[in-house]
Amino acid sequence: MKKKISLVLANCLMLFTVAACSGGGGGSQSGASGTNAADSNKAKTGDNAPQDSGGGSGTGGKKTIVFQMFFPDERFQEAKKKYEALHPDVEIKLEDVQTDDAHLEAEMEKFQTGVSTAILAGKGPDLIQLDDLPVESYVRNGLLVNLETLMSQDASFNKDDYFTNILENAKTGGGIYKMPLSFFLLGLSANKEAIAQSGVQIDDQTWSWNDFAEISKKLVSSAYPNIIYAEPQDMLNWMVSDNASLFMDEAKGEAYFDSASFTGLMQQVKTMSEDGIIGTDGNPFFFPVQINSPGDYFKALDGGGRGLDMKLIVKPHAQDIGVGGYFQVYRGVGISANSKVKEQAWDFIKFMMSDQVSASPIHAGFPINKKLYDQEVAQLKKDGTVPTEKEGPHHGVPVKVNEEELDGLKKYLTGAIHPVPRNTKSTKINEMIREESRAFFSGQKSAEEVAKLIQNKVTTFLNE
């Protein structure tokens, strides 16, 4: 059991930016839905790389919107069909890449290079799913449309229909260039029984990492020798990622790791490790958790099949970043600055944000539309249980829906204001921090030496 928890937590901490770390499903890698770019491109070039799509116009007065993404998505396919039925003068051309686990990394790099090359040349798609692309670099080079400008100019767009806390905080370079059609919620899953028995009061709405460290000293016991199950380098990586704006500005290509803030954070993590707050012994009080949907909320609170009675709490915040919860954009979509059909592309984005495209409470992503979220909650209450995967930790046994806890979930969604990066660039930066920081935690190098190494590596990488 101990070994299993260690592996699960290590994977979550290292790969927290990957969708569905805590379950809930996600995009297929098989190209099972949507228009497969790989198939159409192979006919021309024998290559899975995105080609010059030539979007922006069509025949007979019909407008064509070329929408490129790496993974196929059933929700985009449904939106395409419904929108085209309502707008016969518009064609939505979905393009994705067919791959498998063995070729995923190579195909992803090919996709990223192909899209970047195309839009730099003033060609490429009109709409782009940006989750796996370097948005900050695109914004820095003026390659994307500021959707916030379109929102303000569109009288039919009512911002109050959406989770405004997500819209307001999903900005890059002062504007919204990547519209979050949905998002994930990140927090801590807390052991109810253990906390109740400790008698320690936790105010997760305001607590900082300093508060967490002090409270955790009171929680450490023979029954709970560690409070969070993690290695020090994983914990550091997690805390940096949650507060990425303190340590880097990807839009400007700048890093700030050679600072007292970062070396102080490293020392704080080392002290927590020495005090037994983080480690790999016994059952912890807290698990890092990524909630991917209303249904996934109950699978996460079920302790991931461990038989623990858990509750969701807000993660501690850094001293310099302020209170509030954490979220991660999913299905972030942008419009190419070179598109000839910007008006139609924006209208299609609005349609995908609306409640006209159905969603399931167990599929990955909380919808940005509040009405659609309410519909999902109502469906979940009606169903009464959440199905689970047979090969997962619940072994196919449905999880019961607690309506009171479900009603309380919305306050966590509306309180999430700190974005956590989710792209391949942030994942590589995570790997750099994790590997270089080992030398500090093992006593081989000073915090300042490690900070300079990370500073140089990240700065070089951001400007490649």
Side-chain angles (χ1 to χ4, degrees), residues 284-306:
F285 272 73
F286 306 111
F287 291 92
V289 65
Q290 176 176 301
I291 311 293
N292 297 333
S293 68
D296 189 52
Y297 175 57
F298 290 101
K299 291 194 286 185
L301 291 188
D302 190 53
R306 300 180 185 95

Side-chain angles (χ1 to χ4, degrees), residues 330-389:
Y330 180 55
R331 292 193 180 101
V333 177
I335 301 176
S336 171
N338 297 307
S339 172
K340 297 180 178 64
V341 287
K342 294 185 182 70
E343 180 181 346
Q344 289 79 12
W346 166 241
D347 196 60
F348 184 56
I349 287 179
K350 286 195 302 179
F351 184 77
M352 290 190 290
M353 294 174 71
S354 74
D355 61 347
Q356 298 183 65
V357 184
S358 62
S360 164
I362 62 173
H363 287 174
F366 290 97
I368 192 68
N369 188 295
K370 290 189 290 189
K371 184 176 180 180
L372 190 55
Y373 169 75
D374 290 339
Q375 291 175 4
E376 291 187 7
V377 167
Q379 182 63 49
L380 205 54
K381 290 180 177 180
K382 181 180 178 181
D383 294 341
T385 60
V386 179
T388 66
E389 300 77 14

Side-chain angles (χ1 to χ4, degrees), residues 16-17 136 240-242 244 250 327-328 419-423 426 430:
F16 72 98
T17 56
E136 293 78 9
V240 168
S241 298
D242 283 354
E250 290 191 46
F327 72 93
Q328 194 172 79
V420 176
R422 178 183 181 266
N423 54 50
S426 61
N430 293 342

